[in-house]
Amino acid sequence: MAALLGILSPVTFTGVKLPVNFRSRRRTAVKCSNERRVLFNRIAPVYDNLNDLLSLGQHRIWKNMAVSWSGAKTGDYVLDLCCGSGDLAFLLSEKVGSTGKVMGLDFSCEQLAVAASRQNLKARSCYKCIEWIEGDALDLPFGDCEFDAITMGYGLRNVVDRDRAMKEMYRVLKPGSRVSILDFNKSNQSVTRFMQDWMIDNVVVPVATVYGLAKEYEYLKSSINGYLTGEELETLALEAGFSSARHYEISGGFMGNLVAER
């Protein structure tokens, strides 16, 4: 159950030509550390392969669950925050169909270029409804109450201001709509915490070492330990203004998904 997939959602790729369906709508400087950017750069070349290998392909199940919990449906206008290479955005496009619209937002223009390149290889018409936006999760370049659903995969744990990110999601979401946030679960159970740490130390890091990325993946354990528990995530959402919030533990408590309704 070595699920490392979201160690970081906004991975940076270099030297990629920007696609025609990419545009920047960033209003302020993106708030992230240079150290984090270097980390993303190093992991990028093998990021997707390691996700599949270390989660045994289960990350695809978790992402489908997150999209289902968002409540996105045919014709909706939806947002995927910290979209990375686009996995959740592609799943959302299948939900909203060719009559809907998906905005995939990430701070890395290079990563967005990779997502758009993947999009161009997909034949179904629903995938053409995705637009990739360079932007900051702490200062979203959208108006109030625009979206019918929002997803965020492995991004909230890594932003520098979680409270502000949650308030921005609340602001741009329509009343009665939902946000679905997938990430590692910071469990209250000592056995689960022990197993999570053991898997990182004895499976994730050794495998990453083969790719020369041991130091980069050692970061995962500290980032989970510094994250919020399910109860704390629910409180965060309620304090941001959401009318209801529930955190679901999945995959034996290794992963978690927060569902909050505006």
Side-chain angles (χ1 to χ4, degrees):
M1 228 341 275
L4 66 79
L5 83 129
I7 181 171
L8 320 155
S9 64
V11 184
T12 301
F13 288 73
T14 58
V16 183
K17 184 178 180 181
L18 291 179
V20 295
N21 56 344
F22 161 84
R23 57 195 174 102
S24 175
R25 292 172 60 181
R26 189 171 59 199
R27 297 189 301 191
T28 61
V30 174
K31 300 173 177 61
C32 64
S33 70
N34 288 331
E35 285 186 7
R36 193 66 56 87
R37 282 187 182 275
V38 171
L39 183 61
F40 297 159
N41 283 335
R42 286 279 294 155
I43 292 173
V46 295
Y47 180 73
D48 289 333
N49 289 338
L50 280 175
N51 284 348
D52 280 326
L53 176 64
L54 290 169
S55 72
L56 302 178
Q58 291 184 78
H59 71 95
R60 303 179 189 280
I61 298 173
W62 307 326
K63 289 172 180 175
N64 269 294
M65 293 173 71
V67 168
S68 294
W69 267 318
S70 76
K73 59 187 183 301
T74 302
D76 278 353
Y77 181 42
V78 300
L79 171 65
D80 180 31
L81 279 178
C82 301
C83 65
S85 59
D87 281 355
L88 285 172
F90 292 127
L91 292 173
L92 281 170
S93 72
E94 295 172 5
K95 291 288 186 180
V96 304
S98 57
T99 60
K101 182 74 174 179
V102 180
M103 307 302 287
L105 183 141
D106 201 288
F107 80 93
S108 169
C109 63
E110 293 90 351
Q111 177 72 343
L112 292 169
V114 172
S117 296
R118 293 179 64 195
Q119 179 186 18
N120 291 334
L121 297 176
K122 295 179 178 290
R124 290 177 58 182
S125 60
C126 66
Y127 298 127
K128 307 306 178 185
C129 74
I130 307 172
E131 183 177 344
W132 310 104
I133 301 290
E134 181 187 10
D136 188 348
L138 305 184
D139 188 16
L140 296 176
F142 308 109
D144 296 349
C145 306
E146 282 198 31
F147 294 100
D148 297 294
I150 297 175
T151 59
M152 190 181 201
Y154 303 95
L156 187 62
R157 177 167 44 89
N158 292 294
V159 299
V160 297
D161 189 338
R162 293 167 188 149
D163 180 64
R164 182 170 174 180
M166 188 66 72
K167 288 178 179 177
E168 276 292 274
M169 285 184 268
Y170 176 85
R171 180 182 65 80
V172 302
L173 193 63
K174 291 179 180 178
S177 297
R178 280 180 270 168
V179 59
S180 178
I181 300 173
L182 173 67
D183 213 310
F184 283 91
N185 178 47
K186 183 178 178 180
S187 177
N188 289 318
Q189 302 298 317
S190 58
V191 173
T192 302
R193 290 199 305 270
F194 172 81
M195 288 301 299
Q196 204 169 46
D197 288 347
W198 187 92
M199 294 300 290
I200 293 170
D201 291 338
N202 295 279
V203 179
V204 174
V205 173
V207 171
T209 301
V210 176
Y211 293 85
L213 297 171
K215 290 183 178 179
E216 286 76 8
Y217 278 86
E218 286 170 356
Y219 157 80
L220 180 56
K221 184 159 63 174
S222 63
S223 77
I224 296 173
N225 290 335
Y227 193 41
L228 303 178
T229 65
E231 286 186 6
E232 290 170 335
L233 286 167
E234 290 173 353
T235 298
L236 182 72
L238 294 174
E239 290 180 346
F242 287 91
S243 61
S244 65
R246 183 172 179 182
H247 183 265
Y248 298 90
E249 291 190 357
I250 56 179
S251 196
F254 282 85
M255 297 291 134
N257 201 100
L258 175 68
V259 182
E261 184 171 325
R262 192 188 194 285

